[in-house]
Amino acid sequence: MKKTPIVSQFEVFKNSKRILKNPLPFHRENFEKYGDVFRVKIGVKDELAFTRSPQLIKHILQQQHKKYHKSSLQTKDLAKYIGHGILTSNGEHWRTHRRMVQPAFHKKKLRNLIGTIREAILLEIKDIPVTHPIDVYPIMSNLAFQVVAKSLFSRDDIQEEMSQLQYITETNQRMLIKEMRQPYLNWWFQLSGQIKKYLNLAKDGQAILHQLIESRRNSAVEKDDLLDMLLQARYEDGTAMAKEQLIDEVLILFTAGHETTANALSFLVFLLAKHPEIQEKAYQEVQNISLEGDDVLTQLLELKYVQQCIEEAMRLYPPAYIIDRVAIEDDEFEGLNIPKDSLVLMSIYELHRNENFWEAPNEFNPERFDASKKKEYQEYYYPFGAGPRMCVGNNFAMYEMIIAVTELLQKYNMTTALPEVTINPLISLKPENVLISFTARN
């Protein structure tokens, strides 16, 4: 790593305000200046590496994944708020629980949830205001949260609990971002009691889930939803997940499942509103589709152009815009030595917009994901990550987004006066003030 260019600690400090607000321009400047791999000095002895090299990313996430773990940013900092589930754990703990959670997201299982997902979506979009431009993100956030809530609990009488849980997860995320981008203030966050305050909020969220899980257990009623699948999951010795572990897994499904999908849908709505010709082509594909009956999943898979729109939106605005890994042993890649304990941040955002791999990379062009062309990009496209730690809910998210876009297009025409969308990189890539005008279709 010592042969790679380095950004000084002074440069980081000089740009600290803009990095806190949005680090992506700082990343872009350094990639353009130093190339596909560079280091950043963040302390007297501490540094980290950034890369947008598709070969190195594939090496770390797929080919040599056993030599890398998730960093303490997730396994410690994020975990203290949302627990030690499959998103925030490493090693055998992760492997064991990934095997237990994975079956809940098999396509055969998801088929039974399609009706629940659609019902939640229709409820959230039925009364979108058509008299003035509105910020679409709160709508997509509520939509995605309710989809996860109903897919987990199959209940309509827990709105208050779900609203509180949504508030807790979003509030704690904002605190975590402050900790990650201002590590030099962590002593103050501890001393002032801020950390304790947000940890208590996290406990409140865990208490809500504990109550809902115990209610299901005591009811002895099987709902065939995600919670039932997790309750029925067994370790190799036949025992069920401990209560605390189950709460952690459910909380992570809420946090990761609703946030990333809400972001992706908001960006997609903006892009469709910005490109009426693409929106019209997507509408023509869905206008006569009815997502009812017993074979909805087959219909969803036939909506090829809608799926291309989603894939292209996630190229431009990947929810997981940065993926981190720590080397747990010495490694080497094409002459680059990666010592044990090296922290590598892989910029999926930069990879997805690299003109060396994408023609007109900043343009919204769903045609590039046509089936005949898709193989060209598979080495440069990681919207759900890659390798064994690829997002466990990727199929769930895609079905949800296809249903949401289909129902939105059938019900509304969407326009926007915004020249660009403002992005706010938090734990995932989030849009801000996405003002969209909706008009009802006849």
Side-chain angles (χ1 to χ4, degrees):
M1 280 290 184
K2 290 182 178 179
K3 294 180 181 179
T4 59
I6 188 163
V7 179
S8 70
Q9 190 176 357
F10 174 74
E11 280 296 311
V12 174
F13 181 77
K14 188 172 71 173
N15 289 277
S16 59
K17 286 187 178 180
R18 59 192 290 249
I19 291 172
L20 180 61
K21 184 177 180 181
N22 179 1
L24 294 181
F26 185 71
H27 297 172
R28 168 62 59 88
E29 292 163 13
N30 287 295
F31 277 121
E32 291 183 349
K33 184 177 181 180
Y34 296 121
D36 290 347
V37 183
F38 62 87
R39 292 173 294 150
V40 176
K41 196 79 171 173
I42 57 173
V44 177
K45 295 183 179 180
D46 296 327
E47 62 183 43
L48 50 84
F50 277 87
T51 184
R52 64 177 182 184
S53 161
Q55 295 85 6
L56 181 53
I57 291 172
K58 183 176 182 179
H59 174 88
I60 292 173
L61 295 182
Q62 294 178 288
Q63 295 169 334
Q64 297 296 326
H65 65 89
K66 291 182 179 179
K67 295 181 179 180
Y68 295 87
H69 274 175
K70 286 196 171 187
S71 78
S72 62
L73 294 173
Q74 295 193 59
T75 60
K76 181 180 176 182
D77 299 329
L78 178 58
K80 72 175 182 279
Y81 292 123
I82 64 173
H84 293 276
I86 60 171
L87 181 67
T88 57
S89 58
N90 282 316
E92 192 57 36
H93 183 88
W94 166 76
R95 278 187 289 274
T96 297
H97 293 96
R98 173 82 182 211
R99 284 195 295 265
M100 295 178 75
V101 172
Q102 184 87 47
F105 292 95
H106 287 168
K107 289 182 180 180
K108 289 183 179 179
K109 293 287 188 181
L110 293 180
R111 187 185 297 272
N112 299 331
L113 291 173
I114 294 296
T116 300
I117 294 172
R118 179 171 180 262
E119 178 186 327
I121 289 170
L122 289 174
L123 192 63
E124 293 300 319
I125 70 169
K126 67 182 179 67
D127 294 321
I128 293 178
V130 294
T131 55
H132 57 278
I134 59 168
D135 183 0
V136 76
Y137 180 77
I139 294 172
M140 296 301 106
S141 180
N142 289 336
L143 178 155
F145 198 88
Q146 291 305 321
V147 165
V148 176
K150 291 185 177 180
S151 298
L152 271 162
F153 295 115
S154 303
R155 287 176 60 175
D156 296 315
D157 59 345
I158 53 174
Q159 287 287 349
E160 184 177 340
E161 292 93 334
M162 291 301 98
S163 295
Q164 179 66 7
L165 190 61
Q166 187 171 359
Y167 166 77
I168 290 169
T169 56
E170 292 175 354
T171 301
N172 281 355
Q173 180 184 153
R174 287 193 291 270
M175 182 60 208
L176 178 59
I177 287 295
K178 289 172 67 177
E179 293 176 64
M180 292 170 63
R181 294 189 188 163
Q182 296 177 294
Y184 45 86
L185 290 181
N186 279 347
W187 66 273
W188 170 248
F189 298 147
Q190 291 281 359
L191 188 63
S192 64
Q194 291 188 60
I195 297 292
K196 184 177 180 181
K197 171 186 172 183
Y198 292 101
L199 288 177
N200 286 335
L201 260 185
K203 289 179 181 178
D204 291 342
Q206 292 167 343
I208 290 171
L209 292 177
H210 174 263
Q211 183 180 13
L212 292 172
I213 291 168
E214 286 304 300
S215 175
R216 171 66 62 83
R217 278 177 165 160
N218 294 334
S219 72
V221 175
E222 291 191 9
K223 298 281 190 178
D224 201 24
D225 52 18
L226 290 179
L227 179 57
D228 266 1
M229 296 177 203
L230 293 176
L231 287 169
Q232 293 165 11
R234 293 292 183 270
Y235 294 106
E236 290 183 355
D237 64 2
T239 59
M241 249 189 254
K243 177 182 62 179
E244 293 78 11
Q245 187 64 45
L246 185 60
I247 289 172
D248 286 354
E249 299 298 353
V250 170
L251 188 54
I252 281 170
L253 291 180
F254 269 113
T255 304
H258 114 269
E259 172 93 8
T260 53
T261 304
N263 294 344
L265 281 173
S266 299
F267 283 120
L268 176 57
V269 168
F270 166 78
L271 291 166
L272 291 174
K274 195 69 183 171
H275 298 84
E277 72 288 354
I278 295 176
Q279 182 180 167
E280 178 61 24
K281 184 172 180 178
Y283 171 68
Q284 292 299 323
E285 183 178 64
V286 306
Q287 64 173 327
N288 296 318
I289 292 290
S290 175
L291 298 181
E292 296 179 347
D294 298 327
D295 204 23
V296 175
L297 190 54
T298 300
Q299 293 183 71
L300 293 180
L301 297 176
E302 290 174 354
L303 298 175
K304 302 297 185 183
Y305 192 70
V306 166
Q307 184 169 333
Q308 288 172 223
C309 290
I310 295 169
E311 290 170 333
E312 175 70 342
M314 293 183 75
R315 180 189 69 82
L316 284 168
Y317 301 104
Y321 65 100
I322 290 281
I323 298 176
D324 68 77
R325 290 293 186 271
V326 172
I328 59 173
E329 59 182 89
D330 291 345
D331 192 20
E332 187 271 339
F333 172 76
E334 295 185 358
L336 178 69
N337 291 318
I338 306 173
K340 182 182 177 181
D341 297 328
S342 297
L343 172 58
V344 183
L345 300 182
M346 294 163 278
S347 178
I348 305 304
Y349 182 88
E350 283 293 325
L351 174 61
H352 283 186
R353 290 172 178 255
N354 192 324
E355 61 185 10
N356 292 323
F357 311 119
W358 305 89
E359 183 179 347
N362 295 316
E363 293 182 8
F364 180 56
N365 177 20
E367 306 294 338
R368 72 174 95 235
F369 284 99
D370 181 86
S372 63
K373 304 175 184 177
K374 194 176 291 189
K375 284 188 177 180
E376 297 176 27
Y377 304 119
Q378 63 185 8
E379 299 291 318
Y380 320 122
Y381 185 61
Y382 296 99
F384 294 106
R389 300 206 67 146
M390 185 175 180
C391 174
V392 71
N394 62 320
N395 288 323
F396 183 99
M398 281 302 298
Y399 296 155
E400 177 184 352
M401 288 189 283
I402 293 172
I403 294 171
V405 173
T406 298
E407 300 294 351
L408 280 168
L409 287 171
Q410 288 181 345
K411 194 171 180 62
Y412 302 104
N413 182 66
M414 299 167 287
T415 58
T416 185
L418 292 175
E420 297 291 339
V421 64
T422 300
I423 58 178
N424 183 15
L426 298 175
I427 300 300
S428 58
L429 196 65
K430 182 179 178 180
E432 283 192 343
N433 300 319
V434 193
L435 296 178
I436 304 293
S437 296
F438 290 85
T439 54
R441 293 188 186 270
N442 296 327

